Amino acid sequence: MGNLMKTEWYKLRKDRAFRFLTWMLIAVAVLFPLLEFEGVSGLPTVNEYYLNTVLGVHTDIVKLIPSILAGFFITSEYSMGTMKSIASSGNSRIRIYFAKLTMFSVGAIVISLILPVFMTGASAIYFGFNDMPDWTFFFQTIGLIILYAAAFASIMAFFSIMFTDSGKTIGFLLLFFMMINWPLQLLAAKVPFFEPIINHSIFKLVYDIVKIGQLDSSEVFFLVVIPILTFLVSGILGSIIFRKKEIK
């Protein structure tokens, strides 16, 4: 398992898509606060900017940008023949899948943390350090973003392992995460049985990260536990599918 992890970590570091997405997001995070308020009087405080802008867009970043990485980092290995070589290496497919899922989750977490960290730092330089976010709240939201990035990554890996074409994977995942909220809301309204399940899914709870300071203990419990369960369940289901999949 250790060698598999090292191999996947090496592939992640060398992955051109991962490098491009990382540098693109860093550039956006650093330049956006400057360009957004160029020539505008009355700059917001860093705390206001973190609450209203940074955390406002992270829900889309955590779901959509890693979908592109999933297509290149996981599915493209089928078309390049790499997956067949790995599967015939003597390691069990369950180990192979979890090594790949773990490193893909690391990549998704890195991508998901760029805006909260770099955009907040850049806004502090531009706006001043007078009214920074409360550090407890900041690290609570950072911790939750890590959990939800890993949970969404496990769903992306689950679907990515089924396709053999990176373009189809990226297209499907982008459409899935952009459209999924509408059918879930419709299902919750039409079938009351599903309402508590959907309300306690990562698709709904991810929007509560910004409200962490206003939630009671039971709500915080679900906010923390649900992404962990999602990661475990999606990982197990994905490994079962990968174990039975015919790799050409």
Side-chain angles (χ1 to χ4, degrees):
M1 188 69 176
N3 288 334
L4 282 172
M5 297 285 281
K6 289 178 182 176
T7 302
E8 294 301 326
W9 171 239
Y10 177 81
K11 286 192 289 186
L12 178 66
R13 289 191 291 115
K14 299 296 181 182
D15 191 287
R16 291 182 179 179
F18 177 64
R19 289 184 173 186
F20 172 77
L21 293 171
T22 300
W23 285 112
M24 181 193 72
L25 285 172
I26 290 174
V28 169
V30 172
L31 294 176
F32 191 77
L34 177 63
L35 299 177
E36 185 181 11
F37 294 98
E38 184 180 11
V40 177
S41 60
L43 296 175
T45 65
V46 180
N47 187 43
E48 291 171 342
Y49 196 70
Y50 183 67
L51 283 172
N52 300 326
T53 302
V54 178
L55 292 181
V57 299
H58 95 277
T59 50
D60 290 330
I61 297 297
V62 78
K63 291 185 293 186
L64 300 181
I65 304 298
S67 296
I68 301 172
L69 177 63
F72 290 103
F73 184 69
I74 299 176
T75 310
S76 66
E77 291 197 332
Y78 285 113
S79 57
M80 293 189 296
T82 310
M83 195 70 84
K84 186 175 182 178
S85 300
I86 298 172
S88 59
S89 64
N91 292 291
S92 75
R93 290 199 180 187
I94 292 178
R95 287 187 175 186
I96 294 170
Y97 182 82
F98 273 99
K100 195 170 290 295
L101 170 60
T102 301
M103 284 305 137
F104 172 63
S105 299
V106 170
I109 289 169
V110 170
I111 288 172
S112 301
L113 288 179
I114 288 174
L115 289 193
V117 173
F118 283 88
M119 192 177 276
T120 304
S123 63
I125 294 172
Y126 299 143
F127 306 155
F129 292 84
N130 296 328
D131 193 358
M132 297 290 290
D134 177 74
W135 287 113
T136 301
F137 173 78
F138 180 76
F139 285 114
Q140 284 176 334
T141 53
I142 290 293
L144 288 170
I145 289 171
I146 291 173
L147 288 180
Y148 280 80
F152 281 114
S154 68
I155 296 176
M156 294 171 197
F158 173 80
F159 287 114
S160 299
I161 213 70
M162 294 190 221
F163 293 96
T164 55
D165 182 273
S166 58
K168 292 177 181 175
T169 300
I170 294 169
F172 173 81
L173 288 176
L174 290 177
L175 281 175
F176 176 79
F177 286 114
M178 285 192 290
M179 305 285 289
I180 188 63
N181 284 337
W182 176 73
L184 288 180
Q185 290 173 0
L186 188 64
L187 183 63
K190 296 291 184 182
V191 186
F193 171 78
F194 288 108
E195 185 177 4
I197 299 173
I198 293 170
N199 287 339
H200 290 86
S201 69
I202 61 170
F203 300 102
K204 182 75 165 33
L205 292 174
V206 69
Y207 294 99
D208 290 343
I209 292 177
V210 68
K211 299 185 293 186
I212 179 67
Q214 307 164 21
L215 303 178
D216 60 35
S217 57
S218 64
E219 292 172 319
V220 172
F221 174 78
F222 284 115
L223 196 62
V224 172
V225 170
I226 295 298
I228 297 173
L229 292 177
T230 302
F231 181 87
L232 294 175
V233 172
S234 298
I236 292 169
L237 292 176
S239 67
I240 293 172
I241 291 175
F242 184 62
R243 186 167 175 264
K244 296 181 178 180
K245 186 177 179 66
E246 181 182 0
I247 302 175
K248 298 180 180 178

